[in-house]
C-alpha cells in the first residue's frame, strides 16, 4: 500500500488531529529522551481502545513496523525508532490520549488504560489514602503505568521492587501475521469480542464480584524478602530476570498493551527524610546491612549521590529542579516536546551549536538564586558521599534511635532530619541528577564525547560498590558521576569522556569489569537500543512477537521481518 493511502486510512480512524506526518512535527516523537533518533512515516494518536485496535489492524495488514510509545521517558532509546534502516515503513502509535483508571475493591487494586500516568494514579489514590505499586524518577514528568511495567521500571521504592503484573490485556501478532487480543486481565464476563471488552473497560463498571485471578501477582510480592538478603550472590532486580518476564511485564513494546491491573498500598501516616553524609563509603555499607538485617520496617526509599553528581546536578540540573518545583509536572511533557521541536530546527543550521535550547535553559537558570538549602550545601563541603533516607511510621523512630547511637556528629560522618523544604529539595535534586550529565555534555560538546550511561544491578552481598576505574580508562575521562538506589544496590554511572575517545571500546571494557563482579545490566531502564538482550530476554521477545512486528531491533536484535528468517 502506498504511504499516502496508508496515512489516509489512519486519518479516517483517528481524525486529522490524531495524525502527524510532517518530519518537523514528528521529530520529537522520533527521538529518545536522552539520545536516539530514527525515521517513521507517521505518528498516530488513538483516542480510544477501539481506535487503537483499528490502527493496529491497518498497520499489521500493511506490514508496517510498529513502535508503541507513551510519554517517552525511557533513557535507552527504546520507545522511538533507531536509525533509518528498517525494511518496512515504520508507524509510531502514541497512546497518551487513552486515559482511565478504574478502582477495584475499594482501591486495593486498579486497572489502568495505556495512557494513564503514575502521577495521575498517585493523585487519585491520595483521596483514598493509598499509594501506587511503583514510584519512579520519571513519575514527575509523565511516565505511564503501562510504560513502567513494559520496561520493568524499578524506581526508588525499597518495599515494592520493579513494576510487575501478571494481569493484563494486550494485542500481539502471531506466527501467521494475524493480530489477536489476549485477555489475561482476570475480570469475569468482560466480553467476547474486542469491541465488547473495550466498551466495558472504558465504562469502568467492574464490581468486586467480577474479580478473578487472585492467584496471580499484580506487583512484585517477593521483593521485600529479596532485598533483605544481604548475602545474596545475585542482584535484587534487573531487567532480564526471567522470573519477572510475563506477558506485558518486561515486554519492551513487543506487544500492544490495552490495560494492566496492579496493586496499590496503604499510605504511611508519617514520613521523615534523614540526610546522611560520610567520607568513608564503608559507613554506608554497614548502615545498609544493619537496616536490611535488623529493622522491622524497610525504608520507603534510600537514594545515594556522590559529590561529583551533587555538583553537576546543582549547576546543570537547576532548570529541571526549578521547573518541577514552580511549573509542576502536568505541563512538563508538552514543554519537552516544544524543546525537542526547536532542537530539531536549530540542529539543522550548520553554524549553530547543537542543542541550543539546552544551552539557553542553562544560562537562564543561572539568573536565579541558589536553590538548594544551606544544610545540603554544608554537607557537600564536608562529605564526599550522601544518602537520602526516607522512613515512615514506626521506621522513623527506629532510624532516629540507630543514627543517634551509631552515627556520631563529626567531620567524618553525620546526619540531620530534613524539614519540609529540605526534604523537597533533596528529592528534587536527586531527580535532576538523572539528566545533568547530558546537560553538561551539551555545554561542553566541543571537548567531550556523548554521555556513556550505565545502570547496574550489583549483587546483594557486594560491599565493593564504589567503582575504581582503571588508569587506562581514567586517562580519557572528563567526568564520572555516581548515584542510585542504595538499599537494592542499583546504581547509575554516567561517564563523560574527552573528545576522540572510542566510546564503543571503553564501554566494552567497563562492561567486562562488571561481568567479572557478576553484576547485571541494565538494571531498570531496559535494553532499549543501547544494550544487547541476553538469550533469555531475546527468546521472550521472539515468543511474544514471532514476526518482529513490534519495536524491531530492540536489544540490538535483528530489525528485519521475522528477525531475518524466512
Amino acid at each position: 500500500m502506498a504511504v499516502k493511502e496508508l496515512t489516509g486510512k489512519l486519518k479516517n480512524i483517528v481524525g486529522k488531529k490524531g495524525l502527524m506526518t510532517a518530519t518537523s512535527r514528528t521529530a520529537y516523537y522520533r527521538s529518545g529522551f536522552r539520545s536516539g533518533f530514527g525515521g517513521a512515516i507517521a505518528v498516530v494518536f488513538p483516542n480510544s481502545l477501539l481506535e487503537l485496535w483499528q490502527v493496529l489492524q491497518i498497520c499489521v495488514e500493511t506490514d508496517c513496523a510498529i513502535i508503541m510509545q507513551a510519554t517517552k521517558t525511557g533513557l535507552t532509546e527504546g520507545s522511538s525508532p533507531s536509525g533509518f534502516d528498517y525494511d518496512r515503513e515504520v508507524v509510531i502509535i502514541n497512546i497518551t490520549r487513552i486515559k482511565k483508571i478504574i478502582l477495584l475493591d475499594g482501591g486495593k487494586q486498579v486497572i489502568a488504560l495505556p495512557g494513564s500516568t503514575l502521577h495521575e494514579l498517585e493523585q487519585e489514590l491520595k483521596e483514598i489514602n493509598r499509594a501506587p505499586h511503583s514510584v519512579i524518577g520519571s513519575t514527575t514528568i509523565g511516565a505511564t503505568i503501562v510504560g513502567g511495567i513494559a520496561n520493568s521500571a524499578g524506581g526508588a521504592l525499597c518495599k515494592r521492587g520493579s513494576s510487575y503484573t501478571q494481569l493484563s490485556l494486550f494485542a500481539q501478532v502471531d506466527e501467521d501475521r494475524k493480530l489477536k487480543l489476549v485477555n489475561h486481565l482476570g475480570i469475569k464476563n468482560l466480553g467476547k469480542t474486542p469491541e465488547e471488552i473495550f466498551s466495558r473497560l472504558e465504562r469502568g463498571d467492574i464490581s468486586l464480584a467480577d474479580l478473578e485471578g487472585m492467584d496471580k501477582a499484580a506487583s512484585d510480592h517477593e521483593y521485600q524478602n529479596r532485598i533483605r538478603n544481604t548475602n545474596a550472590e545475585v542482584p535484587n532486580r534487573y531487567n532480564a530476570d526471567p522470573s519477572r518476564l510475563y506477558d506485558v511485564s518486561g515486554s519492551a513494546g513487543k506487544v500492544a498493551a490495552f490495560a494492566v491491573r496492579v496493586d496499590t498500598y496503604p499510605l504511611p501516616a508519617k514520613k521523615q527524610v534523614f540526610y546522611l553524609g560520610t567520607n568513608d563509603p564503608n559507613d554506608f555499607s554497614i548502615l545498609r546491612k544493619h537496616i536490611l538485617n535488623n529493622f522491622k520496617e524497610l525504608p520507603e526509599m534510600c537514594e545515594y549521590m556522590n559529590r561529583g553528581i551533587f555538583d553537576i546536578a546543582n549547576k546543570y540540573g537547576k532548570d529541571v529542579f526549578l521547573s518541577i518545583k514552580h511549573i509542576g509536572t502536568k505541563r512538563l511533557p508538552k514543554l519537552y516536546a516544544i524543546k525537542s521541536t526547536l532542537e530539531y530546527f536549530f540542529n539543522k543550521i550548520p553554524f549553530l551549536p547543537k542543542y541550543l535550547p539546552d544551552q539557553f535553559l542553562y544560562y537562564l537558570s543561572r539568573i536565579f538564586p541558589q536553590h538548594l538549602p544551606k544544610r545540603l550545601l554544608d554537607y557537600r563541603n564536608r562529605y564526599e558521599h550522601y544518602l537520602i533516607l526516607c522512613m515512615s511510621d514506626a521506621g522513623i523512630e527506629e532510624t532516629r534511635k540507630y543514627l543517634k547511637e551509631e552515627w556520631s556528629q563529626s567531620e567524618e560522618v553525620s546526619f540531620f532530619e530534613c524539614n519540609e523544604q529540605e526534604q523537597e529539595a533533596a528529592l528534587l535534586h536527586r531527580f535532576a541528577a538523572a539528566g545533568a550529565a547530558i546537560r553538561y555534555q551539551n555545554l561542553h560538546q566541543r571537548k567531550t564525547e556523548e554521555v556513556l550511561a550505565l545502570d547496574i544491578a550489583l549483587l546483594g552481598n557486594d560491599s565493593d560498590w564504589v567503582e575504581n576505574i582503571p588508569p587506562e580508562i581514567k586517562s580519557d575521562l572528563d567526568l564520572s558521576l555516581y548515584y542510585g538506589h542504595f538499599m537494592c544496590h542499583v546504581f547509575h554511572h554516567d561517564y563523560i569522556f574527552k573528545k576522540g575517545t572510542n566510546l564503543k571500546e571503553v564501554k566494552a571494557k567497563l562492561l567486562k569489569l562488571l561481568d567479572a563482579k557478576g553484576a547485571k545490566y541494565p538494571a531498570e531502564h531496559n535494553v532499549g537500543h543501547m544494550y544487547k538482550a541476553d538469550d533469555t530476554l531475546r527468546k521472550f521477545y521472539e515468543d511474544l512477537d514471532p514476526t518482529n512486528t513490534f519495536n524491531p531491533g530492540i536489544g540490538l536484535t535483528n530489525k528485519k521481518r521475522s528477525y531475518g528468517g524466512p
Side-chain angles (χ1 to χ4, degrees):
M1 185 184 297
V3 169
K4 189 172 182 180
E5 185 181 352
L6 170 60
T7 55
K9 288 192 173 189
L10 294 173
K11 187 188 292 185
N12 288 339
I13 297 170
V14 299
K16 186 177 180 180
K17 293 183 178 179
L19 183 71
M20 289 183 185
T21 56
T23 55
S24 58
R25 296 190 66 203
T26 63
Y28 170 73
Y29 302 96
R30 292 186 291 109
S31 63
F33 185 82
R34 275 184 175 173
S35 61
F37 192 68
I41 61 167
V43 183
V44 193
F45 299 85
N47 294 288
S48 67
L49 294 177
L50 181 58
E51 285 189 7
L52 172 56
W53 177 252
Q54 292 170 338
V55 167
L56 286 168
Q57 285 179 313
I58 293 294
C59 291
V60 172
E61 287 170 8
T62 53
D63 193 28
C64 290
I66 301 169
I67 295 176
M68 301 302 301
Q69 186 182 85
T71 46
K72 208 170 63 67
T73 59
L75 300 180
T76 56
E77 307 176 6
S79 56
S80 59
S82 178
F84 298 82
D85 58 343
Y86 294 86
D87 62 347
R88 297 150 284 170
E89 300 292 1
V90 176
V91 174
I92 299 170
I93 302 177
N94 186 292
I95 46 74
T96 52
R97 296 181 182 179
I98 310 174
K99 294 177 178 284
K100 191 174 188 67
I101 294 170
I102 305 164
L103 301 184
L104 306 175
D105 190 13
K108 292 178 183 177
Q109 290 186 336
V110 303
I111 290 175
L113 300 195
S116 303
T117 69
L118 281 164
H119 180 70
E120 291 163 348
L121 177 60
E122 195 173 59
Q123 296 307 306
E124 187 157 341
L125 290 176
K126 275 184 183 178
E127 298 180 9
I128 57 171
N129 209 36
R130 294 189 73 84
H133 63 293
S134 177
V135 176
I136 58 179
S138 49
T139 294
T140 54
I141 55 172
T144 59
I145 299 163
V146 159
I149 289 169
N151 290 295
S152 303
L157 298 181
C158 297
K159 298 179 180 179
R160 311 264 222 287
S162 302
S163 300
Y164 178 74
T165 186
Q166 296 175 341
L167 299 164
S168 62
L169 175 73
F170 60 96
Q172 65 182 160
V173 177
D174 65 19
E175 292 179 352
D176 298 321
R177 300 189 183 278
K178 300 295 183 185
L179 183 71
K180 63 179 184 180
L181 190 67
V182 180
N183 180 9
H184 291 168
L185 208 49
I187 306 297
K188 274 187 209 171
N189 306 315
L190 193 57
K192 294 183 179 178
T193 67
E195 291 78 7
E196 290 172 348
I197 292 170
F198 301 152
S199 177
R200 188 170 177 204
L201 281 175
E202 288 175 336
R203 290 197 309 272
D205 57 345
I206 297 171
S207 68
L208 181 59
D210 294 321
L211 301 188
E212 294 180 320
M214 304 311 289
D215 59 327
K216 300 289 187 181
S219 62
D220 187 353
H221 298 155
E222 302 170 6
Y223 186 67
Q224 289 202 29
N225 294 329
R226 295 205 308 279
I227 196 174
R228 284 190 181 273
N229 184 2
T230 57
N231 295 316
E233 295 182 353
V234 292
N236 294 303
R237 57 180 172 94
Y238 60 100
N239 280 125
D241 182 352
S243 66
R244 296 295 174 272
L245 300 175
Y246 194 102
D247 290 347
V248 172
S249 295
S251 63
K254 296 301 284 183
V255 296
F258 281 71
V260 292
R261 178 174 157 190
V262 293
D263 291 327
T264 71
Y265 291 81
L267 271 175
K270 294 185 296 181
K271 284 185 181 181
Q272 178 61 53
V273 170
F274 298 83
Y275 198 86
L276 292 76
T278 183
N279 287 313
D280 183 355
N282 190 52
D283 292 327
F284 286 163
S285 295
I286 294 169
L287 175 137
R288 174 180 177 268
K289 286 184 178 180
H290 182 86
I291 289 177
L292 294 178
N293 291 332
N294 300 298
F295 274 28
K296 291 181 180 178
E297 292 289 329
L298 284 172
E300 293 293 316
M301 63 176 67
C302 183
E303 296 297 288
Y304 167 76
M305 299 176 74
N306 75 343
R307 182 180 284 160
I309 191 62
F310 185 104
D311 290 346
I312 293 297
N314 184 24
K315 188 172 182 179
Y316 296 95
K318 186 176 179 179
D319 63 296
V320 173
F321 182 108
L322 295 174
S323 296
I324 295 173
K325 181 171 181 172
H326 297 296
I327 297 175
T329 59
K330 189 174 181 180
R331 298 182 182 90
L332 283 183
K334 186 172 286 188
L335 293 177
Y336 274 112
I338 293 170
K339 183 173 86 74
S340 182
T341 300
L342 290 173
E343 283 175 353
Y344 174 78
F345 279 114
F346 290 141
N347 286 351
K348 292 172 73 174
I349 301 173
F351 59 84
L352 289 179
K354 299 293 184 185
Y355 306 108
L356 195 59
D358 258 5
Q359 301 197 36
F360 171 77
L361 290 170
Y362 164 72
Y363 286 111
L364 179 65
S365 72
R366 295 182 65 179
I367 298 172
F368 294 86
Q370 173 56 250
H371 57 294
L372 296 179
K374 183 178 182 301
R375 283 204 288 186
L376 268 66
L377 295 170
D378 286 345
Y379 266 49
R380 180 262 168 229
N381 295 330
R382 292 168 57 190
Y383 304 113
E384 177 70 26
H385 307 276
Y386 325 101
L387 282 186
I388 305 165
L389 177 60
C390 180
M391 303 299 298
S392 62
D393 298 337
I396 297 173
E397 189 55 41
E398 199 172 16
T399 304
R400 186 178 287 139
K401 182 176 183 293
Y402 171 74
L403 291 177
K404 285 181 177 178
E405 291 175 355
E406 301 296 331
W407 279 62
S408 60
Q409 305 293 306
S410 70
E411 287 304 310
E412 291 305 313
V413 61
S414 190
F415 77 95
F416 65 86
E417 296 187 33
C418 294
N419 59 34
E420 287 189 16
Q421 179 199 10
E422 292 165 335
Q423 174 176 316
E424 179 189 35
L427 294 172
L428 278 178
H429 187 56
R430 164 63 184 85
F431 173 74
I438 298 290
R439 174 62 54 75
Y440 174 90
Q441 195 278 328
N442 287 343
L443 268 292
H444 299 86
Q445 57 191 269
R446 292 181 179 178
K447 69 170 188 173
T448 60
E449 295 292 339
E450 290 184 359
V451 174
L452 174 57
L454 303 178
D455 67 296
I456 301 149
L458 298 181
L459 307 185
N461 66 356
D462 193 343
S463 58
D464 187 21
W465 55 273
V466 176
E467 185 175 52
N468 184 18
I469 299 176
E472 66 270 19
I473 296 178
K474 189 177 288 187
S475 62
D476 291 321
L477 196 60
D478 185 64
L479 278 178
S480 57
L481 308 170
Y482 304 95
Y483 51 103
H485 315 303
F486 190 66
M487 289 292 159
C488 61
H489 261 197
V490 167
F491 293 94
H492 303 290
H493 295 184
D494 288 348
Y495 308 92
I496 302 172
F497 287 92
K498 298 170 185 175
K499 204 73 173 177
T501 303
N502 187 323
L503 291 187
K504 187 175 181 180
E505 288 183 4
V506 168
K507 183 177 180 179
K509 290 178 181 178
L510 289 168
L511 295 182
K512 188 175 181 180
L513 293 172
L514 292 171
D515 290 338
K517 288 168 65 69
K520 296 289 186 180
Y521 48 84
E524 59 179 4
H525 288 160
N526 219 319
V527 288
H529 291 284
M530 298 177 72
Y531 294 90
K532 183 179 180 180
D534 68 13
D535 291 344
T536 299
L537 192 57
R538 189 177 66 252
K539 185 178 185 306
F540 177 64
Y541 292 159
E542 291 176 1
D543 288 345
L544 285 178
D545 182 25
T547 63
N548 206 16
T549 296
F550 289 100
N551 217 353
I554 199 78
L556 306 183
T557 57
N558 195 311
K559 287 183 181 178
K560 294 182 179 180
R561 296 175 182 86
S562 301
Y563 306 93

